[in-house]
């Protein structure tokens, strides 16, 4: 029996022993941090739409980002994950940040559409440089049907750009065997749930990590009605599990909210810092723990009592934000 494919930089979400040991030792393995708030898409399922610009708050400076990377490294951090309140590649310091993270021996995991108004943000040359820097790329793909995909991201023509970027990344060799550097991020919504299995099968055929996940109930996702309920999410993840066992001889426990043998361990081994230095348990979380500027150092925040209390019990995939929404809808 095979184990599910791992994405470089997020191995601790597949190996529970690594994550559990770090949790018990209170070690930071993952720094989740936003780059640019700019975005040329208007995704119907976006949970971060409302926090792209907050009046009266000052964004982190280039120097503050570099210092945060250094402080994270000193705490034992292995991965800097860029979820993106906007499109990370539109940040003017994007490449400098990647170089700084790489120089510290950490892995960058970037969630990207690789799309700008002038076209693709990833070319073959830039993909090769990303590969040199050891970056893992998780590319947005919600459907292989162009009309569905373009509708979900609010941009006609996105599908063609996305496919071009995807095959550039494959050509350059991001989908190397065993531990891949390439993932496809697919948010399960009411509009694309019939297309998710096709994307999953494509990923398995091409050694790409299938980051298939239920939508986070916030922002556009709530306003536009694209959030699916718990039973629908479980049904999809269990179907993927059965396909993996039957077609790929891959076995694992199916755990919400991500498919494919992935256990979210964000609360156990990571923390999230947004554009303004505000600290939350994760990029989809609603619990505020203060601002990094007030703490002075990342270590002070990481070892603060409120954040330490979150790590008392293992997370093992449990998502407080989604579960709270699903419970409220069931009342």
């Amino acid at each position: 029996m095979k184990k599910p494919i791992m994405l470089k930089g997020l191995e601790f979400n597949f190996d529970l022993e690594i994550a559990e040991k770090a949790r018990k030792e209170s070690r930071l393995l993952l720094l989740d941090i936003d780059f640019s708030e700019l975005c040329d898409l208007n995704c119907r399922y976006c949970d971060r739409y409302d926090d792209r610009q907050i009046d009266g708050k000052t964004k982190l400076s280039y120097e503050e980002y570099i210092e945060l990377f250094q402080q994270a490294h000193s705490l034992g951090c292995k991965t800097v994950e860029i979820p993106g309140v906007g499109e990370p590649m539109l940040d003017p310091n994007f490449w400098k940040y990647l170089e700084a993270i790489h120089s510290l021996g950490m892995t960058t995991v970037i969630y990207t559409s690789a799309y700008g108004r002038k076209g693709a943000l990833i070319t073959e040359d830039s993909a090769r440089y990303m590969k040199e820097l050891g970056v893992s790329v998780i590319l947005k793909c919600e459907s292989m049907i162009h009309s569905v995909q373009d509708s979900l991201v609010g941009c006609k023509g996105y599908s063609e750009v996305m496919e071009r970027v995807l095959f550039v990344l494959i050509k350059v060799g991001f989908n190397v065997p065993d531990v891949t550097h390439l993932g496809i991020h697919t948010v399960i919504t009411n509009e694309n749930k019939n297309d998710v299995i096709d994307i999953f099968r494509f990923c398995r055929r091409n050694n790409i990590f299938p980051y298939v996940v239920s939508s986070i109930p916030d922002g556009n996702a709530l306003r536009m009605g694209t959030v699916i309920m718990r039973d629908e999410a479980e049904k999809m993840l269990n179907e993927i599990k059965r396909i993996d066992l039957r077609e790929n001889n891959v076995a694992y426990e199916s755990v919400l909210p991500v498919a494919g043998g992935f256990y979210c361990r964000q609360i156990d081994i990571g923390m999230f810092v947004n554009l303004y230095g505000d600290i939350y348990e994760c990029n989809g979380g609603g619990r505020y723990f203060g601002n990094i500027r007030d703490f002075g150092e990342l270590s002070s925040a990481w070892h603060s009592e409120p954040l330490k209390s979150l790590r008392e019990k293992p997370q093992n995939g449990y998502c407080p934000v989604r579960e709270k929404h699903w419970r409220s809808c069931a009342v």
Side-chain angles (χ1 to χ4, degrees):
M1 199 71 68
K2 299 177 184 176
K3 293 183 179 180
I5 184 175
M6 292 190 292
L7 183 81
K8 178 63 178 175
L10 296 183
E11 294 93 338
F12 38 74
N13 288 310
F14 298 88
D15 192 323
L16 298 186
E17 290 184 10
I18 293 175
E20 183 60 6
K21 187 173 187 294
R23 184 190 69 84
K24 289 180 177 179
E25 296 173 354
S26 199
R27 285 191 291 118
L28 174 75
L29 295 184
L30 173 68
L31 174 64
D32 229 13
I33 192 166
D34 278 338
F35 283 2
S36 175
E37 80 283 12
L38 302 174
C39 186
D40 291 325
L41 301 178
N42 184 24
C43 298
R44 294 174 57 80
Y45 53 85
C46 181
D47 63 286
R48 305 290 305 282
Y49 188 86
D50 294 335
D51 58 348
R52 287 181 184 167
Q53 189 67 49
I54 301 177
D55 293 337
K57 292 212 171 189
T58 305
K59 296 176 191 174
L60 294 170
S61 66
Y62 169 78
E63 291 76 17
E64 286 176 313
Y65 273 102
I66 298 301
E67 190 155 341
L68 281 172
F69 300 151
Q70 294 169 343
Q71 291 176 8
H73 178 256
S74 70
L75 286 170
C77 184
K78 302 297 183 185
T79 300
V80 178
E81 186 177 47
I82 320 298
V85 61
E87 169 50 56
M89 294 192 70
L90 293 176
D91 193 300
N93 294 311
F94 175 77
W95 294 103
K96 291 181 181 178
Y97 292 153
L98 263 56
E99 290 165 351
I101 295 165
H102 178 68
S103 71
L104 291 166
M106 299 185 293
T107 299
T108 301
V109 177
I110 175 175
Y111 294 76
T112 179
S113 67
Y115 177 86
R117 291 178 184 175
K118 295 182 180 179
L121 298 174
I122 295 179
T123 64
E124 188 169 332
D125 286 343
S126 61
R128 291 190 187 282
Y129 189 45
M130 277 186 178
K131 194 165 187 292
E132 285 181 28
L133 296 175
V135 174
S136 285
V137 176
I138 302 179
L139 187 64
K140 178 194 299 291
C141 177
E142 316 308 340
S143 175
M144 291 184 172
I145 302 171
H146 285 196
S147 59
V148 175
Q149 167 88 340
D150 290 355
S151 173
L152 277 167
V153 302
C155 179
K156 187 176 181 179
Y158 170 72
S159 297
E160 293 179 5
V161 172
M162 182 278 297
E163 288 178 359
R164 189 159 69 246
V165 169
L166 176 60
F167 287 107
V168 163
L169 293 168
I170 291 173
K171 178 181 179 181
V172 169
F174 272 74
N175 58 331
V176 292
D178 301 322
V179 180
T180 184
H181 282 256
L182 180 58
I184 284 181
H185 186 276
T186 304
V187 179
I188 310 167
T189 73
N190 289 313
E191 297 174 55
N192 72 335
K193 55 188 177 184
N194 293 328
D195 308 323
V196 171
I197 298 301
D198 288 340
I199 296 173
F200 175 78
R201 284 189 166 116
F202 173 85
C203 287
R204 284 295 192 238
R205 288 196 303 269
N206 291 279
N207 203 55
I208 297 170
F209 168 60
Y211 197 103
V212 177
V213 62
S214 59
S215 50
I216 296 175
D218 206 347
N220 275 355
L222 276 181
R223 280 194 294 271
M224 298 188 177
T226 57
V227 178
I228 63 169
M229 298 308 296
R230 193 181 210 281
D231 59 342
E232 293 179 283
E234 284 187 325
K235 181 180 178 181
M236 180 64 69
L237 266 60
N238 286 330
E239 175 62 16
I240 287 173
K241 175 185 174 181
R242 287 191 290 270
I243 291 171
D244 245 348
L245 185 61
R246 184 173 65 247
E247 298 180 7
N248 305 312
N249 198 32
V250 172
Y252 48 79
E253 182 182 355
S254 183
V255 179
L256 288 170
V258 187
F262 181 105
Y263 295 77
C264 180
R265 304 304 297 272
Q266 171 71 26
I267 292 175
D268 293 344
I269 47 82
M271 64 188 300
F272 168 64
V273 181
N274 74 5
L275 285 171
Y276 311 97
D278 292 331
I279 299 168
Y280 296 85
E281 74 269 42
C282 74
N283 70 81
R287 288 177 287 186
Y288 174 65
F289 294 97
N291 191 281
I292 191 62
R293 291 165 176 143
D294 296 328
F295 280 105
E297 292 189 355
L298 203 62
S299 60
S300 297
W302 177 248
H303 293 296
S304 65
E305 285 303 319
L307 280 170
K308 282 172 64 177
S309 68
L310 288 179
R311 305 192 291 271
E312 289 179 357
K313 294 182 180 179
Q315 182 182 12
N316 287 340
Y318 180 84
C319 176
V321 178
R322 290 179 175 86
E323 295 291 347
K324 181 180 179 181
H325 173 74
W326 288 331
R327 286 196 302 272
S328 69
C329 290
V331 174

